[in-house]
């Protein structure tokens, strides 16, 4: 079958009036207008021939919902593992953008399913993705199609989360330049039918630098750029000695983590390779920003107090909030 690609086009600049918030639009531009502006694309020749696309795990569909009216103004998508954390981030962004109301009763758009949650605050969409490559992969397939069907333009997507650090202090924020696998290679291997397909995991370097420059304006939040290693497992796959199974020695673990550090790896999590691969293939400007909760060269278990854990988890959110406000030209008014 021939592969049909819908390539992104450069979108004209929009005023703040068209960005904040536009979910009540009653007029829908004609199809040709959307064709010129579309910047989120799919690589699936079968989608165009479908009568309806049901985004099952998001409880949304192209016939049952007016996706352009609901999501057409989205410019920033922030995704993270925990539903509670993404709701808290949406409430935080509601206050930061000074939208109407207090945001405490913000609606979960995906309330009809218990797989993921989704909250919209102006041009910012906050979505949970669960834990691990399979969970975020399912969410990304449907999220990318949602953005495509909604004719979104110039979308930046950022994964925010927690991670284990390597050779850096707990509480450090790592902005990923390249996601690597367990062999420290910049690749994501996907089994498709009975073939292993390898995809690139490079992230947007300009976006990473923009985020790092933004971090310099935030006091007491140590931030660096480095490689992020993505694994399929939290315990043995990350060299932990405290799982139900362990088939290696402490010396082997430390040797592996030190080799990862020498290869440029500064933190470990479980989603970044597939996130980078899928976003890159579909024309999304993407970044990964995770705080470290421990130094894996020193410990395997997280033993932070609740207050410290909460403060660490807020650090990526604060950075992303400041970045979004700068992009929208709102920092001076809302500092």
């Amino acid at each position: 079958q021939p592969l049909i690609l819908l390539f992104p086009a450069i979108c004209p600049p929009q005023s703040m009036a068209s960005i904040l918030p536009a979910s009540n639009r009653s007029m829908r531009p004609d199809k040709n207008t959307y064709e010129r502006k579309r910047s989120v694309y799919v690589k699936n020749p079968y989608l165009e021939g479908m009568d309806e696309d049901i985004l099952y795990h998001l409880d949304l569909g192209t016939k049952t919902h007016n996706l352009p009216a609901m999501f057409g103004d989205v410019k920033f998508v922030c995704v993270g593992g925990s539903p509670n954390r993404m709701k808290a981030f949406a409430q935080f962004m509601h206050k930061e953008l000074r939208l109407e109301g207090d945001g405490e009763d913000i609606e979960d758009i995906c309330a009809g399913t218990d797989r993921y949650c989704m909250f919209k605050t102006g041009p910012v969409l906050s979505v949970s993705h669960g834990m691990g490559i399979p969970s975020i992969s399912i969410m990304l397939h449907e999220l990318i199609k949602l953005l495509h069907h909604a004719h979104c333009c110039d979308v930046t997507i950022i994964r925010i989360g927690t991670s284990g650090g390597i050779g850096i202090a707990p509480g450090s924020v790592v902005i990923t330049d390249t996601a690597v696998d367990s062999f420290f290679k910049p690749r994501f291997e996907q089994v498709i039918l009975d073939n292993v397909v390898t995809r690139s995991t490079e992230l947007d370097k300009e976006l990473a630098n923009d985020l790092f420059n933004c971090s310099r304006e935030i006091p007491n939040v140590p931030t660096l750029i480095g490689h992020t290693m993505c694994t399929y497992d939290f315990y043995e796959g990350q060299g932990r000695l405290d799982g139900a199974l362990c088939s290696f020695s402490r010396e082997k673990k430390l040797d592996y983590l030190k080799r990862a550090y020498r290869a440029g790896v500064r933190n470990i999590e479980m989603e970044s390779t597939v996130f980078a691969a899928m976003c890159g293939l579909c024309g999304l400007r993407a970044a990964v920003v995770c705080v470290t909760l421990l130094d894996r060269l020193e410990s395997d278990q997280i033993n932070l107090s609740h207050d410290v854990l909460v403060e660490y988890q807020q650090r990526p959110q604060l950075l992303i909030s400041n970045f979004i406000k700068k992009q929208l030209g709102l920092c001076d008014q809302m500092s």
Side-chain angles (χ1 to χ4, degrees):
Q1 292 286 341
L3 190 62
I4 300 173
L5 303 181
L6 299 176
F7 289 96
I10 297 176
C11 303
Q14 290 182 300
S15 66
M16 281 302 300
S18 67
I19 294 177
L20 286 174
S23 58
N24 294 327
R25 293 175 183 169
S26 58
M27 298 298 292
R28 175 174 174 173
D30 61 71
K31 185 176 185 294
N32 291 332
T33 300
Y34 276 136
E35 289 294 337
R36 290 194 300 270
K37 291 184 179 180
R38 185 176 298 162
S39 62
V40 179
Y41 57 96
V42 294
K43 301 183 72 172
N44 182 350
Y46 298 102
L47 289 180
E48 292 296 321
M50 294 173 58
D51 182 55
E52 178 179 12
D53 190 2
I54 299 172
L55 311 178
Y56 173 73
H57 300 90
L58 300 181
D59 193 37
L60 295 167
T62 53
K63 273 192 172 181
T64 52
H65 299 86
N66 187 340
L67 299 182
M70 294 172 66
F71 301 102
D73 61 330
V74 167
K75 296 295 177 182
F76 303 93
V77 180
C78 298
V79 303
S82 164
N84 288 337
R85 193 183 306 150
M86 296 318 295
K87 180 177 182 179
F89 177 72
Q91 292 170 332
F92 177 57
M93 285 307 307
H94 190 279
K95 294 176 182 177
E96 290 290 284
L97 297 177
R98 295 187 179 177
L99 302 178
E100 293 182 5
D102 58 13
E104 293 302 315
D105 58 348
I106 189 169
E107 177 186 358
D108 179 4
I109 299 171
C110 300
T113 176
D114 60 357
R115 297 297 183 185
Y116 307 104
C117 70
M118 179 185 294
F119 305 93
K120 186 175 183 298
T121 50
V124 182
L125 198 62
S126 303
V127 190
S128 70
H129 59 60
M131 186 181 295
I133 285 174
S135 183
I136 192 174
S137 171
I138 294 167
M139 187 279 291
L140 283 173
H141 273 281
E142 298 187 12
L143 172 66
I144 290 169
K145 290 196 297 176
L146 182 155
L147 298 172
H148 170 77
H149 292 313
H151 313 295
C152 294
C153 175
D154 286 340
V155 176
T156 297
I157 182 168
I158 303 173
R159 169 171 139 66
I160 56 178
T162 58
S163 62
I166 302 181
I168 57 178
S172 300
V173 174
V174 179
I175 301 169
T176 307
D177 56 0
T178 302
V180 300
D181 63 13
S182 296
F183 301 94
F184 321 138
K185 302 295 184 181
R187 64 190 179 188
F188 172 64
E189 292 186 337
Q190 172 77 56
V191 178
I192 302 175
L193 304 182
D194 56 354
N195 296 312
V196 177
V197 177
T198 302
R199 291 168 172 166
S200 170
T201 55
E202 295 290 331
L203 288 155
D204 191 298
K205 298 295 191 294
E206 182 181 358
L207 175 57
N209 288 327
D210 288 346
L211 288 164
F212 181 71
N213 290 333
C214 188
S215 74
R216 293 174 172 175
E217 303 172 7
I218 306 174
N220 303 318
V221 179
T223 306
L224 64 146
I225 295 178
H227 295 356
T228 295
M229 182 165 70
C230 178
T231 67
Y232 286 88
D233 170 57
F234 184 82
Y235 285 98
E236 290 182 290
Q238 294 187 10
R240 277 184 163 84
L241 303 173
D242 59 341
L245 302 172
C246 184
S247 58
F248 46 85
S249 66
R250 186 182 304 273
E251 290 73 24
K252 287 282 189 181
K253 164 208 163 175
L254 289 175
D255 174 71
Y256 177 72
L257 294 180
K258 288 176 181 178
R259 285 191 286 117
Y261 184 87
R262 291 194 296 270
V265 175
R266 294 297 177 266
N267 64 334
I268 312 173
E269 45 85 273
M270 297 192 293
E271 293 87 17
S272 57
T273 51
V274 67
F275 174 82
M278 291 184 67
C279 292
L281 285 169
C282 294
L284 285 163
R285 191 172 181 236
V288 178
V289 181
C290 292
V291 68
T292 60
L293 302 182
L294 75 169
D295 181 356
R296 289 294 318 288
L297 294 176
E298 303 293 334
S299 174
D300 286 339
Q301 294 201 334
I302 300 168
N303 56 7
L304 301 172
S305 70
H306 174 74
D307 291 343
V308 172
L309 185 63
V310 169
E311 194 273 323
Y312 282 1
Q313 290 177 352
Q314 290 173 343
R315 291 182 177 185
Q317 298 185 18
L318 180 62
L319 170 56
I320 301 310
S321 167
N322 282 10
F323 170 76
I324 290 174
K325 289 189 295 181
K326 286 178 74 72
Q327 294 297 301
L328 295 176
L330 300 177
C331 273
D332 292 339
Q333 302 95 311
M334 299 184 180
S335 60

